[in-house]
């Protein structure tokens, strides 16, 4: 498990990881994307 966390940490410190984090934060701030994610998670929860 610690290997996975180390790899994630390494990815977040890389330029590609920083771009991914920036785009995810931008999407999370958008109300339309937030509603889209809420619908998706609602559908996933409904399947259980």
């Amino acid at each position: 498990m610690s290997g996975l966390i180390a790899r994630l940490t390494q990815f977040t410190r890389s330029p590609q990881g920083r771009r991914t984090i920036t785009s995810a934060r931008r999407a999370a701030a958008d109300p339309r994307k937030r509603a889209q994610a809420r619908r998706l998670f609602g559908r996933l929860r409904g399947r259980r």
Side-chain angles (χ1 to χ4, degrees):
M1 186 68 157
S2 63
L4 177 64
I5 292 178
R7 287 173 58 186
L8 282 171
T9 304
Q10 184 180 5
F11 175 72
T12 57
R13 291 181 180 163
S14 71
Q16 183 183 3
R18 289 183 183 157
R19 280 193 302 270
T20 303
I21 291 169
T22 303
S23 68
R25 283 187 180 147
R26 197 175 302 126
D30 184 12
R32 285 182 295 178
K33 290 287 185 183
R34 211 175 248 192
Q36 185 180 22
R38 196 175 295 126
R39 282 193 306 269
L40 173 66
F41 287 125
R43 271 189 269 146
L44 290 174
R45 275 192 218 116
R47 288 184 181 168
R48 288 185 176 203

